Amino acid sequence: MVFATILLGLTPSFLMVGIGGLVRRRLSAEAWQGLDRLNFEVLFPALLFFAACGRPIDPIEILRIGPAVWAIMTLALALGFLARRTGPERFLDFAGAWQTSWRFNTAIAFVAVPTLDPALSGQMAIAIGMAVPVANVLAVTALSRGGSLSFVATLIKVATNPFLIASIAGVLVGLSGYKIPAPLLAPAEMLSKAAIPIALLSIGATMNWRALARLDLFNGYLCLTRLVLVPATAFLLCLFLAPPAGLAAVFILFAALPTASAAHVLASAFGADRSLVATLIAQSTLLSALTLPLWILAIKLAF
């Protein structure tokens, strides 16, 4: 019964992805890229800011959430590196694929959180705000070995990442305890409501729906790391360390997210094999439709 409720809660989002696949030819590739850009630059930053500043934030929350999500990404990085021998010969191509083991899909995070508790959106926004810069720095560090962009130039891009700026701004407002007047906050709320539907449509429109047919040993292990091994470790640690139930749910859900849909952009910028990364993104996203409901069920039963 609980599992059916979870699936029912996620079904509208899965259908939106499917609709994106059906209407992909109604818009040009440039149009879909424009929507992705709009989401990256405006809509999702508004969502992150609105979710983070919507309630007062206890500084202790940052001290709890930050190190935990950094540890989760470090674990994913270490486990992902074990695939080096079965991966591409050129390290740059491997690094492009390797980053998918620790990067995470922000859109899916905010789709999945309400199936547990809508009140956890603020804590998830903090987790993402703490994780975005570290995830990007790790990716840049790996890809900079032989990449076409200089390390400093790419770090500047990381520092000006709209997700990072919006998350930090929202967290600072939440820490201050200041409540932004509703008329001033309303535009951010309106923009945030458009972020997830557009992101899901774009995922469906740009996804390679035949990617699972190319699930070889290398790709399969990276997907296993992202969707099973890392969340399983987070789950066991939460059982052992017994953090508050809300934090445990955020940590495990964060660990169980499919990889970031924009990982191929960074890989392409450094000259890595973009098609390999795109295939991994599609495989991770498709497989998460099976694994994510199971992790949400496990969280509900255990915490």
Side-chain angles (χ1 to χ4, degrees), residues 157-178:
K157 284 191 175 184
V158 171
T160 56
N161 186 312
F163 282 31
L164 173 62
I165 295 172
S167 299
I168 291 177
V171 168
L172 289 177
V173 172
L175 286 172
S176 72
Y178 175 71

Side-chain angles (χ1 to χ4, degrees), residues 227-239:
L227 302 175
V228 179
L229 299 182
V230 175
T233 304
F235 185 86
L236 292 174
L237 285 174
C238 285
L239 286 178

Side-chain angles (χ1 to χ4, degrees), residues 87-150:
E89 182 177 348
R90 192 170 69 139
F91 183 82
L92 183 60
D93 293 334
F94 168 75
W98 183 25
Q99 63 168 327
T100 65
S101 66
W102 70 79
R103 299 191 68 175
F104 51 91
N105 191 307
T106 304
I108 302 299
F110 283 102
V111 164
V113 160
T115 63
L116 290 168
D117 184 353
L120 295 178
S121 294
Q123 290 177 317
M124 180 59 78
I126 295 173
I128 290 172
M130 298 295 100
V132 163
V134 175
N136 281 287
V137 168
L138 291 175
V140 166
T141 301
L143 286 161
S144 64
R145 294 179 56 179
S148 59
L149 294 180
S150 71

Side-chain angles (χ1 to χ4, degrees), residues 1-19 105-117 124 196-197 200-201 203 209 253 256-258 285-300:
M1 188 66 180
V2 176
F3 188 67
T5 303
I6 293 169
L7 284 179
L8 189 62
L10 293 174
T11 294
S13 300
F14 294 151
L15 291 176
M16 285 292 286
V17 173
I19 292 171
N105 191 307
T106 304
I108 302 299
F110 283 102
V111 164
V113 160
T115 63
L116 290 168
D117 184 353
M124 180 59 78
I196 291 176
L200 294 175
L201 284 174
I203 288 171
W209 291 83
L253 185 58
L257 295 172
T285 305
L286 289 169
L287 290 171
S288 71
L290 299 175
T291 60
L292 198 56
L294 293 174
W295 284 118
I296 293 172
L297 175 62
I299 293 169
K300 282 182 172 288

